[in-house]
Amino acid sequence: MYIAMNRFRVVPGFEEAFENQWRARQGRLAEMPGYVEFHMLKGPKAEDHTLYASHTVWETQADFTAWTKSEQFRSAHARAGESKVQYLSGPHFEGFEVIIHEDRSGNRAEVAAA
């Protein structure tokens, strides 16, 4: 598995607009082979921002890369420039290969890195 995350530092007062923007967005992730799940996470507040992170799980890094080159990706991000949300800086991407996975039953599997 592969986990792709983007961190967003949203300026105070723009949290509701940021959350509503994501709620209204048609992601089109489910159309992609290898897509597993998506989460939008709200983190701690600092004096100058609230931290958010988008979190997608993919079967493989190649599946994620295919998403970033797809028409679905372009469509999902087409209106990004219209946002009225203020950020401290652009999104910060982090990608992770899963090396150990434990399910809700406590079953653990080590995942061989590709």
Side-chain angles (χ1 to χ4, degrees), residues 49-62:
H49 72 279
T50 299
L51 181 63
Y52 290 86
S54 64
H55 174 271
T56 54
V57 180
W58 299 86
E59 290 179 10
T60 67
Q61 185 174 357

Side-chain angles (χ1 to χ4, degrees), residues 100-110:
I100 300 171
H101 175 259
E102 183 173 307
D103 68 17
R104 67 186 326 164
S105 300
N107 297 317
R108 183 180 275 206
E110 299 229 4

Side-chain angles (χ1 to χ4, degrees), residues 42-92:
K42 184 175 184 177
K45 287 184 176 231
E47 201 171 296
D48 61 350
H49 72 279
T50 299
L51 181 63
Y52 290 86
S54 64
H55 174 271
T56 54
V57 180
W58 299 86
E59 290 179 10
T60 67
Q61 185 174 357
D63 291 327
F64 168 72
T65 300
W67 153 249
T68 65
K69 297 177 181 180
S70 70
E71 175 57 38
Q72 289 88 339
F73 179 90
R74 286 186 292 283
S75 174
H77 294 85
R79 301 184 66 157
E82 298 174 15
S83 174
K84 303 295 185 219
V85 176
Q86 290 186 17
Y87 303 92
L88 288 185
S89 61
H92 175 75

